[in-house]
Amino acid sequence: MQPIYFDNNATTACDPAVVAAMLPFFSEQFGNASSIHSFGNRVGQAVAAARSQIAALLGAEHDSEIIFTAGGTESDNTAILSALKAFPERREIITTAVEHHAVLALCDQLEKEGYVVHRLKVDRRGRLDLEEYKTLLSERVAIASVMWANNESGTIFPVEEMAACAHAAGVQFHTDAVQAVGKLPIDLRRTRIDMLSLSGHKLHAPKGIGVLYLRRGARFRPLLRGGQQERGRRPGTENAPAIVGLGLAAALAARHLETENTHVRHLRDKLERGILARVPNAFPTGDLDNRLPNTSSIAFEYVEGEAILLLLNKLGIAASSGSACTSGSLEPSHVMRAMGIPYTAAHGTIRFSLSRYNTLAEVERVIEAVPPIIAQLRRISPYWNAERNAPANAEFTPAYA
Amino acid sequence: MWDYTDKVKEHFFNPRNAGPLAEANATGEVGSIQCGDALRLMLKVDPASDRILDASFQTFGCGSAIASSSALTEIIKGMTLDEALKVSNQDIAQFLDGLPPEKMHCSVMGREALQAAIANYRGEAWEDDHQEGELICKCYAIDSALIEQVVRDNALSTLEQVTHYTKAGGACAACHEKIEEVLLRTLAAQAGTPPPSAAARPEAPPPAPAAAPRPALTNLQRMRRIEEVIDSVRPMLRRDHGDIEVVEIIGKNIYVNLQGACMGCAMEAATLGGIQQKLFEALGEFVRLLPASQLETSRQPLHAD
Ligand SMILES: Cc1ncc(COP(=O)(O)O)c(C=O)c1O
Ligand code: FES
């Protein structure tokens, strides 16, 4: 039985062409990109070519706006901490309640250190209130950091419009586009976005490599201090193999952008409709008309997510509950809670995230697999009445610890 | 994914005694909405012998919650009610060859459902008496409730002491930040300086453990002691990019400048509370630790130049 991988928002398989492009940089092309001699020079040229490929995917005006980092988390942290250092008199940050932990955990810590953090709320469909955002923009705000697309629900935020508002108010704007790059068209030169984070392993490049886009002219302070790599903006010897891999992955992503929005979207829609038609008391979460083409987040009421995942895993099907990080903790995902999803449904939310490597046959197998698993868990759920095959409602009222 | 034992997986994939029990004459229903678990335990008790003839469960929860429920029903079948009441959550975890520390609460829920079911059978009221805190140290499975209690009972004031008493923080160091937060919170509550929002708590312990009278200090000794205490907390503040400096000592009032990141932050009250507690202990008298900004106002009449 072939395993099925529907967890591409957690991480993706490295494209075989990307792996092949990287391999020489582990062996004969081992030079240090900064060296004068020819060992280093060839590596330096490959890094420069990768930088151009990424600038092209993002629509960046200058290659020098691309800074290589060790991933999405580092890019997010660098962006926010840079703004706080660059504008020391500004003590406020605007973000949203549904960001990735790479932003939220940092903001929690900054709050303890005395900064004021505004976390924009979302409605039941996961949408922001732009009026609330606009009233918060002021000369006290160092940075607004808003994700382009949510990793759990796939909901897309209007970051181009929000960046324009921030620019008008004289506030730096950063977007965590880790989930959006390669799935949505991006043309940074036509926006007012000052900084953008992307992560290689979400677009079929390796893990541990990412990019911080930094608009030319935007005030910046590096996170790390050291040598002159990345013009001192991110010192440390370049991870040349991963950079070369990311460059090719970016070129492939540009070529497959349409596939994502036709083929992958079609598979996702078919999967979601198929499951919802067969499972009662289940509903999709997020802004259904405005979300990533590859993501479907379905709340199965009265059953718990980890139990669903274990049973899916037994059938060789990989999905996740909440985000990859929250599936390791006990709390229901902060994204589902922010959307006001009731606990008994939030705990049973499963995210299916597809990629261009998935097939119709896989979608059909998952549509067949899910309904019996939910039925099996509901049979032993106290919130479910097996006789009536319906929610137990008032029949179950436990004493809560 | 969690590191479940084969036994846990076995009981999750093939739960024993799952589903309603038609002839049940005892039912216990408990849940923890936060960690997303809820459990109904049903027993068929023989009234003549008080023996559990049959048991079944229905559980809303993760893999280990379902496995713990299944294990519990297997353990208690055939026991008398009094025997069953002696089953601890560790017994349930042991039956499954262990649970990850984050999942121990699943076994606790099983034991509570059992107590609730037996109380239900005996016509008694059952009240949940256990308080579970946030899991702080994963290496040693120590939660915030335990740390708070040990800090209070033993008048602890440093991370190192907490590690010494509970082991928490003694391995990978990932929990040090959280332990210090619990510590500061507990000390602040103890010192009777709760954050402004919380009204004065009547049950707060009386300030200053004045039981053992100490010889009075000279002014110089007293000042030195105060400096020593301040020096001892400085590294902790520096770690958070802050600092502290004594500005003036007027009677029972010690005025300090909190600098850098501590200033104006939410932790200021908690920080002052924690340091104040240490000063009580070092000086053996009640003192008040105040921000130097309050000094300006109290001084004005004296220096009206
Ligand atoms: C929206 C978002 N931001 C940031 C990250 C973190 O990226 P990385 O794993 O490269 O540090 C992720 C990945 O989990 C993500 O989904
Ligand atoms: S989590 Fe506490 S020492 Fe490792």
Side-chain angles (χ1 to χ4, degrees):
Chain A
M1 186 184 52
Q2 278 292 319
I4 298 176
Y5 189 74
F6 277 4
D7 200 10
N8 287 279
N9 286 11
T11 194
T12 60
C14 221
D15 190 294
V18 168
V19 176
M22 288 171 64
L23 287 178
F25 292 87
F26 289 107
S27 44
E28 59 265 31
Q29 302 286 1
F30 63 85
N32 185 322
S34 310
S35 302
I36 296 291
H37 49 66
S38 58
F39 289 92
N41 195 26
R42 277 198 295 273
V43 177
Q45 284 168 1
V47 167
R51 205 183 298 281
S52 288
Q53 288 170 308
I54 292 153
L57 176 67
L58 299 179
E61 207 160 349
H62 310 278
D63 288 2
S64 61
E65 293 175 327
I66 305 300
I67 304 171
F68 290 110
T69 68
T73 303
E74 186 191 320
S75 298
D76 287 344
N77 275 258
T78 305
I80 292 171
L81 293 171
S82 161
L84 298 181
K85 277 233 178 74
F87 302 95
E89 68 293 347
R90 298 179 173 222
R91 309 283 296 174
E92 297 182 17
I93 301 165
I94 301 176
T95 185
T96 80
V98 296
E99 295 297 307
H100 190 267
H101 292 290
V103 169
L104 279 189
L106 173 64
C107 286
D108 289 349
Q109 178 59 29
L110 290 168
E111 199 165 46
K112 285 182 200 153
E113 291 173 16
Y115 291 95
V116 176
V117 178
H118 304 285
R119 297 175 187 78
L120 299 172
K121 292 183 288 296
V122 297
D123 67 12
R124 298 194 150 263
R125 293 253 70 108
R127 292 169 300 205
L128 294 173
D129 175 358
L130 288 195
E131 291 313 310
E132 182 194 4
Y133 168 65
K134 286 177 197 161
T135 59
L136 288 170
L137 288 169
S138 76
E139 71 287 350
R140 294 186 304 277
V141 177
I143 189 166
S145 178
V146 177
M147 67 199 326
W148 200 312
N150 187 272
N151 46 306
E152 293 190 32
S153 68
T155 300
I156 297 167
F157 286 149
V159 287
E160 289 157 299
E161 186 185 343
M162 294 175 85
C165 298
H167 182 78
V171 173
Q172 272 199 349
F173 189 89
H174 164 253
T175 182
D176 175 342
V178 166
Q179 294 293 344
V181 174
K183 298 172 198 154
L184 302 176
I186 293 178
D187 193 12
L188 287 175
R189 79 188 74 202
R190 291 190 20 249
T191 74
R192 292 293 191 172
I193 293 168
D194 295 299
M195 291 186 271
L196 173 146
S197 303
L198 74 82
S199 174
H201 71 102
K202 311 284 183 176
L203 56 142
H204 306 290
K207 296 153 190 35
I209 185 74
V211 160
L212 177 65
Y213 159 87
L214 174 67
R215 173 179 298 281
R216 179 173 287 187
R219 266 209 228 177
F220 181 75
R221 293 287 184 279
L223 180 67
L224 306 178
R225 304 280 168 171
Q228 272 307 305
Q229 296 91 351
E230 303 299 289
R231 304 177 187 224
R233 296 170 301 177
R234 205 294 190 173
T237 300
E238 298 87 345
N239 183 353
I243 289 173
V244 168
L246 179 55
L248 179 57
L252 293 173
R255 210 177 304 154
H256 288 291
L257 188 59
E258 200 181 311
T259 320
E260 292 283 338
N261 287 280
T262 51
H263 172 68
V264 177
R265 179 188 295 273
H266 171 74
L267 292 181
R268 189 274 314 268
D269 289 344
K270 192 165 168 68
L271 174 75
E272 187 168 277
R273 269 190 240 117
I275 290 174
L276 293 176
R278 285 168 180 76
V279 181
N281 295 86
F283 58 89
T285 77
D287 192 0
L288 303 186
D289 303 323
N290 185 35
R291 57 179 167 157
L292 294 174
N294 76 320
T295 307
S296 171
S297 162
I298 302 181
F300 297 99
E301 292 184 274
Y302 314 115
V303 287
E304 198 272 345
E306 185 198 298
I308 303 173
L309 293 183
L310 289 171
L311 291 171
L312 281 171
N313 186 53
K314 212 174 164 211
L315 300 178
I317 299 167
S320 72
S321 125
S323 78
C325 315
T326 37
S327 62
S329 79
L330 310 165
E331 295 258 311
S333 109
H334 66 283
V335 178
M336 296 305 140
R337 271 183 300 163
M339 290 195 286
I341 310 268
Y343 274 90
T344 45
H347 277 294
T349 305
I350 299 295
R351 177 188 69 189
F352 300 97
S353 48
L354 282 60
S355 80
R356 58 180 188 258
Y357 297 104
N358 291 121
T359 64
L360 186 60
E362 291 178 324
V363 166
E364 281 165 354
R365 225 176 91 200
V366 174
I367 292 174
E368 290 307 312
V370 169
I373 287 177
I374 305 300
Q376 173 185 343
L377 290 172
R378 280 184 181 159
R379 267 199 300 281
I380 63 169
S381 168
Y383 290 106
W384 193 260
N385 184 314
E387 246 167 72
R388 285 188 285 112
N389 196 29
N393 293 331
E395 296 157 38
F396 182 65
T397 48
Y400 283 113
Chain B
M1 198 61 73
W2 300 106
D3 197 6
Y4 285 141
T5 65
D6 290 342
K7 200 92 179 269
V8 172
K9 287 184 206 157
E10 202 339 73
H11 275 262
F12 168 68
F13 287 123
N14 305 298
R16 324 290 197 272
N17 316 306
L21 183 64
E23 299 141 38
N25 53 4
T27 305
E29 297 180 345
V30 296
S32 157
I33 202 93
Q34 268 251 317
C35 47
D37 292 342
L39 163 60
R40 171 193 281 141
L41 180 71
M42 293 148 283
L43 307 178
K44 184 182 164 197
V45 182
D46 174 19
S49 63
D50 250 13
R51 213 166 266 287
I52 298 171
L53 301 177
D54 205 354
S56 81
F57 75 91
Q58 286 173 297
T59 292
F60 168 86
C62 61
S64 55
I66 290 171
S68 297
S69 311
S70 168
L72 172 67
T73 54
E74 287 289 279
I75 294 172
I76 59 174
K77 267 204 271 181
M79 284 185 170
T80 64
L81 294 182
D82 286 334
E83 283 163 356
L85 276 175
K86 293 201 190 95
V87 173
S88 70
N89 71 304
Q90 276 90 357
D91 293 332
I92 300 172
Q94 246 166 38
F95 183 89
L96 293 167
D97 297 335
L99 287 171
E102 293 89 341
K103 299 285 191 174
M104 279 303 285
H105 68 97
C106 297
S107 59
V108 174
M109 193 176 68
R111 200 196 49 148
E112 288 180 348
L114 178 62
Q115 291 172 340
I118 293 175
N120 169 260
Y121 176 76
R122 291 178 169 165
E124 298 164 358
W126 175 77
E127 264 184 59
D128 170 34
D129 58 351
H130 111 279
Q131 272 198 335
E132 206 182 347
E134 185 197 357
L135 181 66
I136 302 290
C137 178
K138 290 187 184 175
C139 290
Y140 294 109
I142 308 290
D143 71 0
S144 59
L146 181 68
I147 295 178
E148 277 168 32
Q149 193 188 333
V150 171
V151 167
R152 255 186 267 115
D153 292 355
N154 304 286
L156 308 185
S157 57
T158 66
L159 167 67
E160 288 71 22
Q161 289 172 329
V162 172
T163 304
H164 188 67
Y165 275 77
T166 66
K167 284 194 179 172
C172 73
C175 55
H176 285 187
E177 218 171 10
K178 278 191 175 167
I179 292 177
E180 279 179 351
E181 277 171 27
V182 176
L183 192 58
L184 286 178
R185 203 168 60 217
T186 314
L187 291 176
Q190 239 178 348
T193 50
S197 58
R201 288 179 214 171
E203 80 273 25
R214 300 189 200 185
L217 301 172
T218 68
N219 265 337
L220 190 63
Q221 284 172 326
R222 189 162 171 268
M223 268 161 61
R224 286 218 181 104
R225 285 254 170 112
I226 292 170
E227 279 294 349
E228 278 165 21
V229 171
I230 298 296
D231 284 343
S232 76
V233 298
R234 189 167 282 126
M236 191 180 77
L237 296 172
R238 290 236 169 108
R239 218 173 308 146
D240 290 332
H241 309 291
D243 209 339
I244 188 168
E245 158 196 61
V246 180
V247 177
E248 180 67 285
I249 302 168
I250 303 176
K252 299 263 177 228
N253 292 350
I254 302 171
Y255 295 91
V256 294
N257 254 334
L258 270 182
Q259 280 156 4
C262 318
M263 201 182 67
C265 81
M267 292 299 283
E268 182 172 335
T271 308
L272 288 179
I275 301 169
Q276 179 169 282
Q277 174 69 21
K278 288 190 175 194
L279 287 166
F280 295 169
E281 287 165 14
L283 302 174
E285 61 170 316
F286 178 78
V287 289
R288 202 177 282 134
L289 196 60
L290 296 165
S293 53
Q294 298 195 12
L295 185 61
E296 306 303 326
T297 43
S298 66
R299 256 192 185 166
Q300 255 158 19
L302 296 175
H303 304 264
D305 47 7

